[in-house]
Amino acid sequence: MADRVELTGWGLYPRRPTRLRRAGNAAAIAALLDPAGMIARGNGRAYGDPAIGLSTTIDMRRLDRLIAFDDATGLLVAEAGLTLAEIIDIFLPRGWFPAVTPGTKFVTLGGAIAADVHGKNHHGEGSFRRHVAWFDLLGPDGVERRCSSDEHAELFHWTMGGMGLTGTILRAAVWLRPVETAWIRQRTIPTASLAETMDAFEANAAATYSVAWIDTLAAGRSLGRSILMLGEHAGVDELPSPLAANRFARRRGPTLDVPLTPPISLVGGPVIRAFNALYYARNRSKAGNSLVSIDSFFYPLDAILRWNRIYGRRGFVQFQCVLPLAAAQAGLTTMLSRIAASRTGSFLAVLKRMGAEEGPFSFPMEGYTLALDFPVGRRTEALTAELRAMTRDHGGRLYLAKDAQMTEAEMSVLDPRGLAFARWRREHGLAGPLRSHQSERLGL
């Protein structure tokens, strides 16, 4: 019997009705295909409504089996419902780590491919797609297809970044990267302005990983002041003796939890102002080199289980844009000035340098990406609408894995590739049976 429910993404906004079904293998999924519009859902870490089916949503978490691993090449074959956290738990002690990871390890393998996630190393190592050898895709016709750069290549490329709208990813082969320890050599660089922050990114383009926390409430000469963090995987000979003796030891699991959703957001302007001032001062005093754990460097928010609840029952939206290199400084200056003037601020504020664009519908382009969280409300709705307009005016685009608010008209201007994607879906009979609430909202 189908379960009719209201689902949300990680942002707890918006709530959308769907029929939630669970399946443990490809045959069971094929039996659940819904011509009225279905979509696969991984671990629910997309922020808006891309993983909520218009009619049916298929929970993929039961497809979480390991299939094969090649210790010589790092090629892992696994089912799509396995999370990166589970992959790390199994393979980090053997000296392997995901080649690309987003800011949470609680995404599934299938979700990482569908969103073509990126990480702190996009400027040098591209997005997730670059490290995918192949995947098996179940079409709405019930047929499984092996997709790679040589086999069903067009389907292969549209799927990565296609938000689940090309079929259901069943299993995949991805390359992991070898590492010697569970530690990162981190270099912390405080900067006093946006120009200084961007100069520091460019001067350290050879770093494997780079990411900046940016103070969204700083204004005037301090606009864009940041804490830039560079990272390299530490070798065993770089660890002090107590750590080298157990080089893959990690702190296990989240250390804090938000057990209840409060009626209102706990994150407001005064809280953010106090947090920003404290965070900047504390990390400025830590400038220089240090050793940090892999979990601390890549997944600081994962240490707080269900942290999305701090925004209250109305939830929050994440705005993430990427601006082309030539327009990035002007665009970011305009955005940060507006945010500082609003005194709304953002608890999460992340700036990254992106490398070259790859794939027909993936988010990244060469330039800078800015990610911000805002509690849902009239003020922030108006603010994020302005930020989308600023993104448009500077030639940028939005990240569909984070999107909950963009309209079809905005999409057609911000990312005209969506028109080509929608046409390709219609031509291949995918537009009717594969539909999410996001695809309906954006006309995909």
Side-chain angles (χ1 to χ4, degrees):
M1 178 68 70
D3 299 316
R4 192 73 178 173
V5 299
E6 278 197 334
L7 279 183
T8 71
W10 184 246
L12 305 179
Y13 171 88
R15 295 185 176 279
R16 298 296 186 216
T18 190
R19 189 176 292 110
L20 183 62
R21 310 298 297 268
R22 294 180 175 85
N25 55 56
I29 294 172
L32 296 174
L33 294 176
D34 182 351
M38 59 79 62
I39 205 79
R41 178 183 178 90
N43 205 26
R45 289 292 171 141
Y47 281 70
D49 50 4
I52 307 175
L54 192 66
S55 175
T56 296
T57 302
I58 298 182
D59 182 341
M60 299 290 291
R61 282 289 286 131
R62 291 182 181 173
L63 277 82
D64 61 353
R65 291 172 281 262
L66 295 171
I67 299 171
F69 183 68
D70 186 336
D71 253 323
T73 64
L75 187 67
L76 167 69
V77 181
E79 289 185 328
L82 197 69
T83 66
L84 295 191
E86 292 163 331
I87 292 172
I88 293 167
D89 285 347
I90 296 168
F91 290 99
L92 182 58
R94 298 171 64 170
W96 298 93
F97 188 71
V100 165
T101 176
T104 174
K105 59 180 179 288
F106 296 128
V107 298
T108 60
L109 187 55
I113 293 171
D116 191 18
V117 296
H118 58 273
K120 299 174 177 66
N121 56 347
H122 187 272
H123 59 285
E125 300 184 42
S127 55
F128 207 80
R129 68 165 44 245
R130 197 184 289 184
H131 310 279
V132 175
W134 55 261
F135 51 78
D136 290 331
L137 194 71
L138 179 67
D141 54 2
V143 176
E144 278 188 44
R145 296 174 177 85
R146 174 70 52 94
C147 301
S148 69
S149 57
D150 299 320
E151 193 174 2
H152 298 295
E154 191 178 35
L155 192 55
F156 179 72
H157 291 295
W158 278 118
T159 295
M160 292 181 286
M163 304 308 296
L165 296 169
T166 63
T168 301
I169 300 166
L170 300 173
R171 61 193 75 85
V174 299
W175 283 287
L176 306 182
R177 67 181 303 152
V179 296
E180 290 188 17
T181 75
W183 294 87
I184 296 290
R185 284 188 287 110
Q186 178 174 298
R187 182 181 166 207
T188 301
I189 304 174
T191 63
S193 67
L194 178 63
E196 196 174 311
T197 303
M198 296 179 73
D199 285 346
F201 266 110
E202 299 300 326
N204 291 282
T208 300
Y209 301 105
S210 60
V211 62
W213 167 86
I214 191 165
D215 184 350
T216 53
L217 289 175
R221 295 173 62 183
S222 297
L223 184 83
R225 70 177 185 175
S226 302
I227 303 294
L228 174 63
M229 288 158 280
L230 311 175
E232 304 291 339
H233 288 281
V236 65
D237 59 347
E238 296 172 299
L239 301 185
S241 298
L243 296 181
N246 196 6
R247 56 196 170 114
F248 291 116
R250 299 164 60 209
R251 187 168 56 183
R252 311 293 294 184
T255 57
L256 297 173
D257 189 12
V258 183
L260 299 172
T261 303
I264 61 173
S265 173
L266 302 180
V267 183
V271 173
I272 296 172
R273 276 192 290 279
F275 172 83
N276 283 11
L278 181 63
Y279 188 88
Y280 185 77
R282 182 180 178 190
N283 284 281
R284 187 178 183 185
S285 68
K286 294 181 177 178
N289 300 319
S290 60
L291 271 176
V292 298
S293 71
I294 270 183
D295 290 279
S296 173
F297 185 79
F298 289 104
Y299 314 115
L301 281 176
D302 284 348
I304 307 174
L305 194 64
R306 298 181 286 192
W307 64 264
N308 54 339
R309 292 180 170 180
I310 65 175
Y311 285 93
R313 292 174 186 165
R314 298 174 72 177
F316 69 103
V317 293
Q318 185 162 105
F319 169 87
Q320 183 168 356
C321 70
V322 59
L323 301 177
L325 198 56
Q329 185 162 350
L332 290 170
T333 299
T334 303
M335 290 180 178
L336 293 172
S337 298
R338 179 66 188 92
I339 295 167
S342 76
R343 301 180 67 79
T344 300
S346 170
F347 182 62
L348 176 96
V350 175
L351 185 68
K352 291 197 289 275
R353 174 68 157 86
M354 306 292 272
E357 178 173 326
E358 297 176 283
F361 202 44
S362 293
F363 165 70
M365 67 167 69
E366 184 168 23
Y368 282 84
T369 181
L370 177 66
L372 307 163
D373 283 350
F374 297 105
V376 171
R378 289 185 180 177
R379 283 183 61 195
T380 53
E381 185 177 343
L383 177 61
T384 51
E386 288 184 58
L387 295 176
R388 292 197 298 275
M390 293 170 186
T391 302
R392 177 202 61 203
D393 294 344
H394 290 87
R397 67 171 68 122
L398 300 185
Y399 190 18
L400 295 187
K402 307 288 182 69
D403 163 63
Q405 295 179 310
M406 187 166 41
T407 66
E408 181 175 351
E410 289 174 325
M411 175 80 187
S412 67
V413 178
L414 275 162
D415 196 347
R417 300 176 308 164
L419 300 173
F421 183 52
R423 183 170 58 249
W424 180 84
R425 284 194 354 107
R426 288 194 300 272
E427 291 171 353
H428 290 78
L430 305 175
L434 294 172
R435 300 158 75 187
S436 65
H437 282 274
Q438 183 185 58
S439 73
E440 291 297 289
R441 177 165 51 84
L442 299 180
L444 296 175

